[in-house]
Amino acid sequence: MESSQKPETRTFGNGPADERRCVKTMRKARSDTPSGVHKSISRRMFCEIGMAALSAQLLPGMAFGFAAGGAATPSGASGLPTLDELGTGWLDCGLLAQMPSLHNFHEMAACAPDLVGVNFLPGGQLYGDESGPRWPIYYSLPLCGMTIDDRSYESTNCRWFAFQAVRRAQVGDLDVVTTNRLVMEDTVVMWRVKFTNNGVTAKSFHVALTVDPGWKPVDREFIGPGEIRATSDKWKMDYVYRFFDLPENKTNGQFAEWQVSLAPSESREIHFLMYVEEPGKPGRSGLTSEWFETQWDRTKAEWENRWKSTFTPDNEFFSGNAPLLVTNDAAIREIYYRSVLTLLVLLRTKLWSNRTFITSGERPKGVVFYWDTSLFSTLFALLEPKQMKEQIKLFLEQDPHESAVIVFKTERAASPEHLEVPPGWDLRGYAANDLSIFRLAWSYLVVTQDKEFLREKIADQTVLQRMHVLATNWKKLRLNPDDQLADYGGALNLLECVPTYINKVPSFNSANVWMMRELAEILEGSGGGAEARQLRLDADAMFKAVMTLYEPGKGVWASLHRDGTRVEMRHCYDFAAVGRFLAADLPPNVSREMVDFVERELLMERWMRAQSQLDVAATNSDRPDHGPMGAYDAWPAVTVDALCRLGYWNIAVPFLRRTQAAVYEGVYAQAREFYGVKRRDRDAPVRIAQRQGCMRECTGGGAFAEAVLCTLFGYVPKLSGAPGLLNADAPRGFNGELRHLRHGTQMYTIQSENTGLRLQKET
């Protein structure tokens, strides 16, 4: 079924059936479904309300523009792709760890591996526990179920689009395709189930749909023609299924049945919906077949409107816009636009800040990780400066050492009158928080040129004072006042799953060097010359201390543990952070050795390993995002950034293009993993990870768009004057234009050509 077409609708007749036989069959069908063995999630529960932190054999032709199964093909290279183009081709469900998701700017739903089940819990946390692959335990309203001739079937193939999910199975000569959409910013799930006879003779078969397959008892009642209400005592919700293609007199409190007859090549369809309401209150009225059709069309139309608005200056939805990329480079084009689309998928409009990019949809509602959000800080400032400013104010009110996350509610928490900071070493959250919040504030300032923001009050301090706290908070994390390096705590403060990546690590200490230097530049522009000079002296001293952690000749760095043990680390984050923040300071031989290590041990054909398989802790670190069998989705992007800043464009850009092959399942996730018998090989197959609590989508994927903007096109925003360009004379090996790039009130175009970069104002 083409995604842009509505399937043919026809009312079915119904043959005789026995209710008890149908319910029994459905229960057996559900109990026969394979499920994984429960495992405990190994990460610490930083977020008090539920979830922990930060967390294919590739199908041929499964990339943007040439996906199999009818995905649209772009006509030549250009700018904005359609959402149909960014949909996937048909994916083999047997090779996936995650089924397609649905988002509607308020909620997330996750398709089950069968043909009709949709996990949905509006207002609540969706992810429950690890199992899988494809059968994670969700905190969900009970699923609906379907049998065909008394048997249930799992999907053999699926497709993902931003506005819908599609599942398919072949039952003999019968092709069954189910398409789901979420009504925009509502709690209504819509289904179209299409049956097509691909055989040469007529077919007749029995279809039964139940509100619940029988594996989880619920109270159900028949409340009118084509409507069944079920009550979830666990979640204190009522949910109502409404069937529009009514079987004759066969909808009751248990199930609905149809007897379907199809001639060769003929298709028929059932369409229905489920809506959620508060128990004891009257049901919604007006949910007619006509309403269904209107909302079906509106869902896609609204998604398309918001997608176009994302790249349109002076649009009516965002307070800014993302730059438009125009290029003949199909791989870079797809990577950029899928990265931006990831943020749109995770945008929520019903929280106090109505342009909130939550980190992942399965977590408790409104959970935002500082670290993930900081990885697309420039794009955030370009796209939504108004709400970014308000969110940064909230971030600056927090103790950055307290938690990994902040939770957005429907109403903003009251601002404190006074900010108190606990004395002494007090890291209770992520080591990344000081850097993350500073980077967000810095990006907002330099992109918008809003210098007045520095003087705005955050409780009893100014924004500038809060940024000073963040840039020098490392001094609180010294175990000895004479130390030149901060101690960033244990594994749970850092990468969580790597037991040796602890205490004095080069990554965040190198970030301190960058923060102090950037703060010094801001202070110089506001009359703080003496303080700026001291910050630069402190930064230079810290750089020398960071270099003591380098392992000469090996290209890797060590962590210094509290007991004096020095442990060699073979992890991408040291490379990415040192390369990003200290590239101009490093001796050429160190840069070369670092790049040799990354190219030799981390970069694979389609993705990368966060940790080398040769790391001393590799066998104890196997989590897809930070271990040796995959990588957090932002890590390839920040690795590319570091490679380019070190001058190795010839390695970085071809690798970036190769990662296109890994995003065939939709948009960016928490992590992608290598899997199967070849998972240790350089050409290992890649898929979105689910094990150990990895989420299907994650805003960290915005780092790819950030790399295109700030690295390939070299956008270097400054607090005064026109933007700079990163290594403008260096050819990227990539040609294209970045249009409608806002810096302050001025729009620019940046061109990448064979000789380097050119910046010009737009009129």
Side-chain angles (χ1 to χ4, degrees), residues 49-100:
I49 54 177
M51 295 306 297
L54 268 191
S55 54
Q57 211 78 325
L58 276 182
L59 302 179
M62 209 55 68
F64 170 52
F66 54 88
T73 302
S75 54
S78 58
L80 186 64
T82 67
L83 293 180
D84 284 308
E85 287 182 74
L86 290 169
T88 72
W90 285 111
L91 308 174
D92 184 343
C93 293
L95 299 178
L96 305 179
Q98 297 261 19
M99 291 294 289

Side-chain angles (χ1 to χ4, degrees), residues 105-107 122-123 348-354 365 409-410:
F105 300 94
H106 278 190
E107 303 289 347
R348 296 297 181 261
T349 60
K350 70 174 181 178
L351 304 172
W352 72 261
S353 176
N354 62 10
K365 301 304 177 187
K409 303 289 187 179
T410 54

Side-chain angles (χ1 to χ4, degrees), residues 45-52 123-127 139 362-368 403 405-409:
M45 297 296 177
F46 273 124
C47 177
E48 292 181 357
I49 54 177
M51 295 306 297
Q125 173 180 323
L126 188 61
Y127 186 82
Y139 293 143
E362 299 96 323
R363 291 187 168 95
K365 301 304 177 187
V367 169
V368 172
S403 178
V405 305
I406 191 162
V407 181
F408 284 70
K409 303 289 187 179

Side-chain angles (χ1 to χ4, degrees), residues 385-698:
K386 180 179 178 181
Q387 286 301 310
M388 183 186 191
K389 180 178 182 178
E390 297 307 311
Q391 292 177 31
I392 291 170
K393 289 180 182 179
L394 179 66
F395 296 167
L396 291 173
E397 290 176 2
Q398 313 307 309
D399 176 0
H401 292 175
E402 182 179 8
S403 178
V405 305
I406 191 162
V407 181
F408 284 70
K409 303 289 187 179
T410 54
E411 294 186 7
R412 190 192 191 282
S415 297
E417 295 182 0
H418 175 67
L419 297 178
E420 296 184 2
V421 179
W425 195 97
D426 68 339
L427 186 59
R428 290 150 284 142
Y430 269 173
N433 288 355
D434 289 323
L435 167 65
S436 299
I437 300 172
F438 182 95
R439 185 170 176 176
L440 285 160
W442 176 84
S443 293
Y444 171 80
L445 284 165
V446 296
V447 169
T448 65
Q449 304 286 288
D450 182 7
K451 298 179 185 178
E452 292 301 314
F453 184 53
L454 289 168
R455 289 183 279 276
E456 290 195 27
K457 294 303 288 288
I458 305 296
D460 55 345
Q461 301 179 29
T462 64
V463 168
L464 180 57
Q465 288 173 322
R466 292 303 293 161
M467 291 182 71
H468 192 284
V469 168
L470 295 168
T472 58
N473 242 359
W474 64 270
K475 294 181 179 180
K476 288 186 60 182
L477 301 182
R478 293 178 294 181
L479 298 180
N480 185 311
D482 296 327
D483 284 351
Q484 287 296 323
L485 295 172
D487 182 309
Y488 280 101
L492 293 175
N493 301 116
L494 288 151
L495 299 177
E496 294 186 326
C497 61
V498 183
T500 52
Y501 199 95
I502 59 174
N503 304 142
K504 295 179 181 178
V505 293
S507 54
F508 292 114
N509 278 296
S510 66
N512 293 329
V513 177
W514 175 79
M515 285 192 286
M516 287 188 285
R517 288 172 174 172
E518 291 299 331
L519 180 61
E521 188 168 332
I522 293 171
L523 287 168
E524 280 185 339
S526 57
E531 192 173 11
R533 285 190 293 275
Q534 185 58 52
L535 283 166
R536 287 197 171 97
L537 289 173
D538 289 346
D540 291 343
M542 179 166 276
F543 166 70
K544 293 177 181 178
V546 169
M547 289 305 299
T548 66
L549 299 178
Y550 183 65
E551 296 288 303
K554 297 182 179 181
V556 300
W557 300 79
S559 60
L560 189 60
H561 295 188
R562 290 177 182 174
D563 62 2
T565 304
R566 182 184 176 97
V567 180
E568 181 180 288
M569 306 301 306
R570 310 181 82 84
H571 201 279
C572 74
Y573 192 62
D574 287 329
F575 174 84
V578 173
R580 167 67 176 81
F581 299 123
L582 302 179
D585 300 272
L586 296 174
N589 67 302
V590 172
S591 297
R592 177 69 256 180
E593 291 165 2
M594 289 170 60
V595 172
D596 285 345
F597 155 69
V598 167
E599 193 176 21
R600 181 179 65 248
E601 299 183 28
L602 300 185
L603 303 188
M604 300 294 113
E605 282 301 314
R606 305 177 182 95
W607 199 240
M608 70 178 291
R609 301 185 189 278
Q611 181 184 37
S612 169
Q613 295 181 90
L614 301 179
D615 190 286
V616 294
T619 57
N620 299 319
S621 310
D622 183 22
R623 203 174 81 184
D625 48 1
H626 304 315
M629 290 301 152
Y632 172 55
D633 271 22
W635 290 163
V638 298
T639 297
V640 164
D641 175 68
L643 284 166
C644 294
R645 290 176 186 273
L646 294 171
Y648 291 88
W649 300 88
N650 61 322
I651 296 172
V653 178
F655 169 68
L656 178 62
R657 286 194 184 98
R658 296 202 308 270
T659 66
Q660 176 201 24
V663 289
Y664 62 95
E665 294 174 72
V667 290
Y668 287 95
Q670 179 174 329
R672 277 168 168 76
E673 66 178 350
F674 300 111
Y675 71 98
V677 296
K678 296 185 65 177
R679 64 187 180 278
R680 296 188 177 277
D681 298 345
R682 188 175 181 83
D683 62 345
V686 187
R687 68 183 177 191
I688 294 175
Q690 181 268 324
R691 63 190 178 89
Q692 295 183 292
C694 288
M695 306 294 156
R696 194 187 192 281
E697 289 102 5
C698 179

Side-chain angles (χ1 to χ4, degrees), residues 84-234:
D84 284 308
E85 287 182 74
L86 290 169
T88 72
W90 285 111
L91 308 174
D92 184 343
C93 293
L95 299 178
L96 305 179
Q98 297 261 19
M99 291 294 289
S101 61
L102 295 159
H103 294 261
N104 69 351
F105 300 94
H106 278 190
E107 303 289 347
M108 174 185 178
C111 290
D114 66 355
L115 284 165
V116 294
V118 175
N119 294 282
F120 192 48
L121 189 65
Q125 173 180 323
L126 188 61
Y127 186 82
D129 197 0
E130 182 185 359
S131 57
R134 296 188 302 120
W135 279 104
I137 303 301
Y138 287 112
Y139 293 143
S140 173
L141 293 172
L143 280 60
C144 64
M146 180 176 73
T147 61
I148 302 170
D149 288 338
D150 298 335
R151 288 187 59 189
S152 67
Y153 295 88
E154 288 198 5
S155 306
T156 55
N157 303 95
C158 64
R159 299 181 72 181
W160 178 93
F161 297 84
F163 54 88
Q164 70 181 19
V166 188
R167 288 168 282 178
R168 181 173 71 181
Q170 196 74 25
V171 182
D173 291 331
L174 184 66
D175 188 51
V176 186
V177 177
T178 300
T179 306
N180 285 104
R181 294 181 182 179
L182 285 180
V183 174
M184 289 292 287
E185 297 175 326
D186 204 337
T187 56
V188 182
V189 186
M190 299 182 287
W191 280 261
R192 290 187 183 275
V193 186
K194 183 178 181 180
F195 305 91
T196 301
N197 180 5
N198 290 328
V200 296
T201 61
K203 302 290 181 185
S204 182
F205 50 94
H206 172 259
V207 177
L209 282 163
T210 184
V211 171
D212 178 82
W215 62 282
K216 185 186 295 183
V218 294
D219 296 325
R220 292 169 288 199
E221 61 174 329
F222 176 64
I223 60 174
E227 282 196 320
I228 302 173
R229 173 184 284 130
T231 299
S232 170
D233 292 333
K234 182 174 183 180

